[in-house]
Amino acid sequence: MEKIVIKGRGITSGVAEGEAMVTKEAFGFSHGLEPYTGRINDEYHEWLGQNARGKVLVFPYGKGSTSGGLYILESVKHGNAPAAVINVEVDPVIAGGFIMAKVLYGKEIPVVDRLERNPTDVIKPGDRVRVDANKGVVEVYR
Amino acid sequence: MRLTDEEKRMLAGEQGEALRLSLEVLTRIGEVYGAERLVSVSSVHASCMYPDFGAAVDILEKFRDLGGKFQTVTTVNPTVNPDNVNRWADLPEPPELKSASTRQMSAIRSMGVIPNWSCTPYFQGNLPRVGECVSWIESSAVIFANSVLGARTNRTTMGIDVASAIAGRAPEFGLLLDGDRAGNVLVKVEFEPQTMFDFNTIGYIIGKACSGKVPVIEGLPAWTTANHLKVMGAAAATRGGLALYHAVGITPEAPTRRKAFRGKSPEFDISIKKKDLKGALDDMNTIKKGGVQAVLVGCPHPRVNEIKELTELLDGKKVREDIKFCLFISSDVLNFSRQMGYIDVLEACGVRLFEGDCIVFHNVNKWGWKNVATNSAKYACTLPSGPYYLGVLYTDIKGCVDLATK
């Protein structure tokens, strides 16, 4: 099994592992992730119809409404949140949502950005990915 | 981040759990954005967000239960007002929505909010001066504060607003600093807009062309009012995620083009001609088939002069039985308009008043609505998407009245 280690910046705290979903398109949680199922429901996104629950979401940037933070919290509340998030550069709405998830529900979901290599190039859909936001390290297994 | 001794004590929990948690949230956000310190904020505009999201109730109750009290002047966005739900029983809402909203209102009231329930807090006494740092939510209010007032706020998200209100502080980054406030795109308006509707449409065009930028707008007439800028900014923020623009000779950070760009050059420039309005109207008119079930007016919440205009247009007419004419309005404007006799006229015509409310919180699909008419570009941009999926006829206030009464 191949193992790739990439260093970056931890935004939240926590460590998690899961299967990668990867896109080069920006993704917004508001009107993008259906919090009661984990299903992606953004009609214009290539992830449409996939389920984000327990996955490691790899996408370049956030987009859309500031209510994205609330969609993140609601998906955490209902157990349908992703296992971890890897961005090229995290936006305030996504950072705020996952920081509040720990405050509100004690749930540590690692969010990491600014990796040495572009994660949307290195990580492939279906890769097993371990995300350590405490150290800001991503490990990819395939 | 460098914290003051007082902030360190707050973060250590010496001044209670609500302040500790607020400091934790604000410093974590600050660290993500490379803020070097927290700065005092003199005002907050907060939001209950969507009451049908349990998390939106949990946040407010969490801070309340920890003993949170707002240290700073804090106003709040509209929400589902249970009185409106009770009054318009033919537009039913599930009992859970009413009870969730009641819980939110109770939690935020007990922390000391000024209960203005409006997206126009700057018209209800939350009025920062040029250069004042604040922490606001609601995209149309954020762009107004930054651009028209020259105050400084980032686009705040859920929970951060409440933490700022309790701590009286915000992390210093982004639009709180000079650097991010420089214009980077030049917009030339090459005709004289005439009406509120023109400003609404211009805002849409700017938002579409300048997404994520800080436009510097030239060519707005000297008679442009704060209310014209209210609708223009709301449309630009909704269409393009803008949080700041400068209008040369009109807004405080743009006495000249040069000052608005802070010595930099525009990345690109666009011009808006009168004929461009038509294309924007075509974009926003999204009805595929069938008639209109409702007319929605009051986004952002209107001022008294807009109520006067609506009253004069509607006086002596009657809203059709098959159309719901909904007016979203803040309590202060409702009060003044009632004293001026407008509200009696509007109610006699069949207008439904939604005090302190906004359509976005309501389950419009359960009411069988397919298409609506509105004079608001913000509504026209918002309502075609989920969870509303409404077709929109975007037309001026006279068009709205004609359609509802013909």
Side-chain angles (χ1 to χ4, degrees):
Chain A
M1 183 181 275
E2 188 188 358
K3 176 182 172 184
I4 306 166
V5 179
I6 324 171
K7 289 205 178 95
R9 176 176 73 147
I11 299 295
T12 56
S13 52
V15 184
E17 202 176 311
E19 185 188 320
M21 273 168 61
V22 186
T23 179
K24 289 194 180 293
E25 294 176 10
F27 175 71
F29 285 85
S30 177
H31 309 302
L33 185 139
E34 213 290 313
Y36 307 105
T37 59
R39 184 179 171 274
I40 306 291
N41 65 350
D42 179 344
E43 296 286 329
Y44 302 101
H45 202 280
E46 65 173 346
W47 277 348
L48 178 66
Q50 295 194 49
N51 197 300
R53 181 181 176 191
K55 300 282 173 50
V56 174
L57 301 188
V58 185
F59 57 99
Y61 311 102
K63 67 167 184 180
S65 159
T66 52
S67 62
L70 183 59
Y71 278 73
I72 290 168
L73 288 171
E74 193 73 359
S75 70
V76 171
K77 182 180 171 81
H78 293 278
N80 296 316
V85 169
I86 301 172
N87 286 163
V88 171
E89 180 84 33
V90 75
D91 89 357
V93 171
I94 291 173
F98 286 105
I99 287 169
M100 289 303 298
K102 186 185 173 203
V103 166
L104 206 54
Y105 300 119
K107 185 85 183 153
E108 288 191 325
I109 296 174
V111 178
V112 173
D113 76 346
R114 294 191 189 167
L115 303 184
E116 300 157 318
R117 296 159 68 188
N118 186 333
T120 67
D121 290 334
V122 179
I123 305 172
K124 304 294 175 200
D127 284 350
R128 191 91 197 147
V129 180
R130 185 173 182 276
V131 184
D132 183 340
N134 303 327
K135 295 182 184 148
V137 173
V138 171
E139 293 170 6
V140 185
Y141 300 90
R142 64 169 69 112
Chain B
M1 283 177 85
R2 282 182 284 111
L3 298 183
T4 63
D5 290 343
E6 190 194 8
E7 287 162 355
K8 284 177 190 160
R9 286 196 294 276
M10 288 179 183
L11 192 56
E14 288 178 25
Q15 297 180 41
E17 193 52 25
L19 265 171
R20 190 203 63 73
L21 188 61
S22 300
L23 262 285
E24 181 189 328
V25 168
L26 297 173
T27 51
R28 293 203 80 140
I29 292 284
E31 279 159 10
V32 171
Y33 291 98
E36 290 180 5
R37 57 175 188 159
L38 298 174
V39 290
S40 291
V41 292
S42 54
S43 99
V44 170
H45 182 60
S47 172
C48 294
M49 285 277 175
Y50 299 100
D52 53 349
F53 277 47
V57 182
D58 292 344
I59 283 187
L60 294 173
E61 292 189 340
K62 170 103 183 175
F63 279 105
R64 191 244 349 243
D65 293 346
L66 293 174
K69 293 285 175 204
F70 295 156
Q71 286 197 23
T72 174
V73 167
T74 303
T75 47
V76 62
N77 232 23
T79 187
V80 173
N81 180 340
D83 294 343
N84 297 332
V85 178
N86 294 339
R87 184 169 182 199
W88 308 118
D90 61 335
L91 301 176
E93 293 291 3
E96 307 84 62
L97 180 65
K98 231 163 63 171
S99 68
S101 176
T102 304
R103 279 170 61 187
Q104 285 186 322
M105 292 170 93
S106 159
I108 200 163
R109 276 180 194 277
S110 68
M111 289 189 279
V113 83
I114 298 170
N116 65 319
W117 309 114
S118 175
C119 48
T120 59
Y122 39 90
F123 289 145
Q124 286 108 34
N126 193 347
L127 191 69
R129 67 166 170 78
V130 175
E132 212 169 309
C133 289
V134 302
S135 187
W136 283 20
I137 210 162
E138 163 59 38
S139 66
S140 72
V142 166
I143 196 170
F144 192 96
N146 276 319
S147 313
V148 183
L149 304 179
R152 298 183 169 209
T153 179
N154 286 307
R155 270 155 56 91
T156 303
T157 189
M158 185 84 221
I160 315 299
D161 51 347
V162 176
S164 273
I166 290 171
R169 289 167 166 82
E172 188 180 44
F173 68 94
L175 292 174
L176 269 52
L177 297 165
D178 286 343
D180 283 12
R181 299 183 69 84
N184 48 28
V185 174
L186 180 63
V187 175
K188 294 181 197 159
V189 178
E190 295 185 342
F191 70 104
E192 183 163 324
Q194 303 293 324
T195 61
M196 289 283 279
F197 191 65
D198 286 346
F199 278 89
N200 241 307
T201 310
I202 289 171
Y204 172 91
I205 295 169
I206 293 171
K208 187 177 177 185
C210 309
S211 183
K213 302 291 181 192
V214 180
V216 174
I217 306 162
E218 283 188 336
L220 294 185
W223 51 260
T224 302
T225 68
N227 214 33
H228 292 108
L229 298 176
K230 171 189 79 178
V231 295
M232 188 184 84
T238 302
R239 182 61 182 82
L242 274 62
L244 169 65
Y245 63 86
H246 302 294
V248 178
I250 305 278
T251 61
E253 288 170 71
T256 63
R257 182 204 284 198
R258 208 183 132 79
K259 287 224 165 90
F261 281 106
R262 292 180 185 262
K264 294 180 188 155
S265 314
E267 293 170 19
F268 60 86
D269 59 76
I270 62 161
S271 64
I272 303 177
K273 299 182 173 62
K274 188 157 191 194
K275 64 178 173 60
D276 297 326
L277 297 177
K278 171 79 171 58
L281 261 57
D282 290 345
D283 276 3
M284 283 187 274
N285 284 322
T286 53
I287 293 181
K288 292 198 180 74
K289 58 172 185 186
V292 158
Q293 290 80 46
V295 173
L296 307 176
V297 172
C299 169
H301 279 171
R303 294 191 90 176
V304 173
N305 60 316
E306 293 168 79
I307 303 303
K308 175 172 185 273
E309 183 186 20
L310 178 62
T311 305
E312 286 166 358
L313 287 167
L314 267 169
D315 197 6
K317 297 178 184 152
K318 203 84 183 154
V319 173
R320 283 162 48 161
E321 289 285 329
D322 59 344
I323 286 183
K324 313 279 192 283
F325 196 117
C326 304
L327 172 61
F328 302 90
I329 187 168
S330 60
S331 302
D332 57 328
V333 171
L334 179 61
N335 175 20
F336 298 144
S337 302
R338 182 169 276 132
Q339 293 184 50
M340 294 169 84
Y342 302 142
I343 298 302
D344 286 346
V345 175
L346 292 178
E347 293 200 308
C349 297
V351 171
R352 291 156 182 258
L353 296 169
F354 283 77
E355 181 180 357
D357 213 323
C358 177
I359 199 65
V360 298
F361 306 116
H362 290 273
N363 292 291
V364 293
N365 299 112
K366 293 194 176 128
W367 302 343
W369 292 6
K370 300 277 183 254
N371 301 316
V372 297
T374 183
N375 62 338
S376 160
K378 175 164 178 161
Y379 272 172
C381 290
T382 305
L383 297 175
S385 315
Y388 318 105
Y389 302 113
L390 293 171
V392 172
L393 172 67
Y394 170 63
T395 180
D396 65 6
I397 190 68
K398 183 171 182 305
C400 286
V401 167
D402 288 348
L403 185 110
T405 55
K406 74 177 177 219

